[in-house]
Amino acid sequence: MGSHRRLTAGLGVMALLFLAGCSSSQNHEAQVAETRPIQPGVEKTMIVILGASYAQGWTPGCDGPLAFVNRGAPGEQSFEMLARFESDVLAEKPAAVILWGYINDIFRTDEAGRPAAKARAREGFQEMIRLARAAGVKPILATEVTIRQKAGIKESVAGMIGSVLGKTSYQDRINGHVTELNDWLRALAETENLLLLDFEKTLSGPDGRRKKGYANEDGSHITAEGYEALTRYACEILDEHFREESEPRDR
């Protein structure tokens, strides 16, 4: 009898997990629909946002003829973005794609494996740029954002003790890898003549860490205020860039 109850309870849990997964999928589809406002009679410039959870949380409401398709997927690494590039980017036939997201390449490996993870991320970004250009899609690079210490007394005390002892915190180690890859992205954008959205500098404070108001309690995910700052910054750059592209050039 006890084993029967345990089996029934187990099946119930599985059913709830299945329903939760369905709900999450439906929410994602709704988000994609909401980020594609196409008004009758208005020609839109469609831009796909490709990345992980940071990207998924960003739905920029730019004025003017810019429309966005959000293809952020929580937890993904850059090689997983590359794997779905054709289905999630090229299939939409956009004018441009914003490539934002390698933080999980760093999060999901230990310190010894991070040089290889960063090399793989660089290769993945270069391949996505190649695929976009081959399809007539403009690649736009976005630097990754740094993180800060988790909120809480315990974390603050641990951080102070570590600082006194001269230890490098986990957050600063992660940020060191982030800023290294961001410097590479900036150089790549200049070399390849690509538009760059410098999100790191938009959200970081003088110490290089994310500003407090722009990070959730986990120290990683971005607050509504942070997304608003990104939107103000990015919309101005994107609007100016695509407006200049659409203007006729003097011969």
Side-chain angles (χ1 to χ4, degrees), residues 13-14 20 28 74 77 101 106 122 150 152 171 196 206 211 246:
V13 170
M14 291 174 65
H28 175 65
Q77 299 179 56
I106 298 173
R122 288 191 288 266
K150 292 181 180 180
Q171 290 77 20
L196 176 78
K211 291 179 181 177
S246 65

Side-chain angles (χ1 to χ4, degrees), residues 158-196:
M160 287 188 291
I161 293 174
S163 179
V164 169
L165 296 176
K167 293 183 177 180
T168 302
S169 69
Y170 168 78
Q171 290 77 20
D172 288 342
R173 287 198 302 274
I174 293 295
N175 288 342
H177 296 295
V178 167
T179 54
E180 179 189 332
L181 271 179
N182 283 345
D183 285 342
W184 175 81
L185 279 179
R186 294 182 187 103
L188 180 65
E190 185 173 354
T191 301
E192 297 290 331
N193 194 28
L194 298 174
L195 186 63
L196 176 78

